[in-house]
Amino acid sequence: MATRKLLLLHGDGIGPETMAEVEKFIAYMNEAHATGFETEEGLVGGAAYDAHGKSISEADMAKAMAADAVLFGAVGGPKWDGVPYEVRPEAGLLRLRKDMELFANLRPAICYPALASASSLRQDVVEGLDILIVRELTGGVYFGEPKEIIDLGNGQKRAIDTQVYDSYEIERIAGVAFELARTRSNRVTSMEKRNVMKSGVLWNEVVTQTHQDRYQDVELDHMLADAGGMQLVRWPKQFDVIVTDNLFGDMLSDVAAMLTGSLGMLPSASFGAPDEKTGSRKALYEPVHGSAPDIAGQGKANPIAMLASFAMCLRYSFQMVEAADHLEKAIANVLDRGVRTADIAPDGVAPVSTVEMGDTVLAEFRALMG
Ligand code: IPM
Ligand code: MG
């Protein structure tokens, strides 16, 4: 029996309660389908800070490096507002991305038919939406140096962040976007700010060159990132794959998430380069939503984004395509039947709890798995 090594990092806020629902799926699959998942756990974010004074320990980093895939809940919350910047909860996530070299972040925004009316946009604008944001994840202003606040000595301070991209970083993320486009509607829109930023000029140049060299069969458009944001809320269905840098990708993916009705619905996957020997990629799967401290521990959180992240893990890290399809179908079926957590419940519909939603999707999944 194959073993499949998973590291579970529950994190903070609603992370633990949504991850607990995924754990039920893992247990079921091992029992009923001999899938051989071996799970380890670690601490990240505020939970790690409380235990070790760091946002992730070296031991847990080592577990992440050794795992076939990492499942990540969420980090952060007001409890840690005052902790030093270097060890704030988010630093644990950034360290994982950087050390595992997870440069490609896939953020699909799919509007489930049953939720088209839950979006803040008109139903016809979002119905049937299926776009994919490919966000560069290990470069740009998130990691560029210098990054500091200096005292100018005259009563003023100066804050500096550095937006920096090398051409190889742009080329490899563009390659990921073009490859994925070929499996979808074959269109890529690249977004940057070449009208203001040198990094935007280079981004545009390298994406164009990569297209020219290797992907002429894919349709390529360029958009300034601000106009792209506007187009995303005007008529999002014009897009197929959007490729953009770390910071623009952070913002545009939150916009795209909201098109689908709720931030509680969207999964994401982050990948490194394929290993030269085995071809396998380091991978981390996480919901796009954050730790939602305002509802943490109340059993109200929507576990769907976490479950859909696990579906991406089955599909991409373990090539368990059928199980992934069934899990995504189970989520859609349960939504079709009108089962709703509080974030997606319309007026007059009594919301179910996190555990009830997890159990309902699991029952549907079991039925589909046969
Ligand atoms: C995200 C989050 C993170 C980011 C935070 C938690 C550091 O907003 O994954 O979109 O900015 O990348
Ligand atoms: Mg974000």
Side-chain angles (χ1 to χ4, degrees):
M1 183 169 79
T3 62
R4 301 180 160 107
K5 286 199 317 195
L6 286 176
L7 176 65
L8 311 186
L9 297 174
H10 300 65
D12 308 320
I14 60 171
E17 35 194 312
T18 55
M19 187 74 81
E21 297 313 304
V22 169
E23 289 177 77
K24 293 180 190 167
F25 282 73
I26 297 171
Y28 156 71
M29 290 180 76
N30 277 348
E31 215 176 277
H33 299 279
T35 39
F37 285 113
E38 277 176 13
T39 56
E40 277 196 299
E41 290 182 17
L43 296 174
V44 68
Y49 178 80
D50 290 345
H52 323 288
K54 290 180 81 174
S55 52
I56 185 161
S57 69
E58 297 311 312
D60 286 342
M61 266 315 301
K63 286 185 202 165
M65 298 298 284
D68 293 318
V70 177
L71 297 181
F72 183 97
V75 288
K79 181 178 174 198
W80 302 283
D81 276 351
V83 311
Y85 183 81
E86 289 67 33
V87 291
R88 72 200 187 287
E90 291 76 11
L93 176 59
L94 297 179
R95 167 109 192 258
L96 284 159
R97 290 175 180 171
K98 194 69 178 171
D99 285 13
M100 292 171 73
E101 296 182 66
L102 305 173
F103 69 89
N105 182 215
L106 277 48
R107 298 194 159 182
I110 291 166
C111 185
Y112 290 91
L115 289 185
S117 58
S119 174
S120 52
L121 295 189
R122 251 186 11 239
Q123 183 151 348
D124 64 303
V125 176
V126 296
E127 208 157 40
L129 180 74
D130 179 359
I131 63 179
L132 176 64
I133 298 193
V134 177
R135 168 189 178 192
E136 200 291 327
L137 202 61
T138 49
V141 76
Y142 272 62
F143 297 99
E145 297 283 348
K147 188 180 197 61
E148 59 190 356
I149 298 177
I150 48 183
D151 199 325
L152 296 178
N154 58 356
Q156 292 290 305
K157 290 182 181 177
R158 177 173 295 155
I160 306 173
D161 290 288
T162 306
Q163 165 83 349
V164 47
Y165 272 107
D166 290 357
S167 41
Y168 82 92
E169 295 176 285
I170 304 168
E171 190 184 336
R172 68 182 178 180
I173 193 70
V176 169
F178 287 125
E179 296 284 344
L180 287 163
R182 281 179 175 163
T183 70
R184 303 169 44 96
S185 298
N186 217 32
R187 290 183 291 119
V188 169
T189 308
S190 169
M191 295 188 187
E192 32 60 18
K193 282 282 289 177
R194 65 185 179 282
N195 54 350
V196 180
M197 300 167 79
K198 286 293 182 187
S199 57
V201 172
L202 185 67
W203 184 280
N204 184 278
E205 217 173 275
V206 174
V207 172
T208 303
Q209 191 63 48
T210 307
H211 178 250
Q212 182 72 26
D213 292 347
R214 290 159 38 214
Y215 299 103
Q216 288 192 30
D217 56 301
V218 182
E219 195 181 310
L220 171 65
D221 281 315
H222 298 279
M223 238 178 230
L224 297 175
D226 54 341
M230 182 271 285
Q231 291 295 342
L232 259 180
V233 290
R234 192 185 72 83
W235 191 248
K237 285 187 262 186
Q238 70 186 280
F239 298 111
D240 179 25
V241 175
I242 293 173
V243 63
T244 190
D245 79 8
N246 206 342
L247 182 62
F248 295 141
D250 181 43
M251 299 193 294
L252 295 171
S253 62
D254 266 24
V255 174
M258 207 52 220
L259 301 175
T260 69
S262 163
L263 210 48
M265 303 295 299
L266 289 199
S268 84
S270 305
F271 298 116
D275 182 271
E276 276 177 20
K277 282 195 210 106
T278 62
S280 67
R281 294 171 182 268
K282 287 213 177 356
L284 179 146
Y285 300 86
E286 60 174 313
V288 172
H289 64 66
S291 58
D294 53 321
I295 57 161
Q298 300 172 30
K300 287 186 189 165
N302 185 348
I304 289 180
M306 192 74 237
L307 294 174
S309 298
F310 181 56
M312 290 187 89
C313 173
L314 295 175
R315 185 181 305 284
Y316 294 111
S317 283
F318 302 113
Q319 288 73 48
M320 299 166 77
V321 177
E322 198 189 13
D325 285 347
H326 285 333
L327 178 45
E328 285 165 4
K329 182 83 178 117
I331 293 169
N333 288 355
V334 164
L335 291 171
D336 277 344
R337 270 191 257 127
V339 183
R340 298 283 187 275
T341 43
D343 56 316
I344 48 174
D347 289 342
V349 170
V352 300
S353 68
T354 310
V355 170
E356 285 164 330
M357 179 60 96
D359 286 345
T360 313
V361 177
L362 179 57
E364 185 69 20
F365 179 64
R366 295 176 78 121
L368 291 169
M369 291 290 283

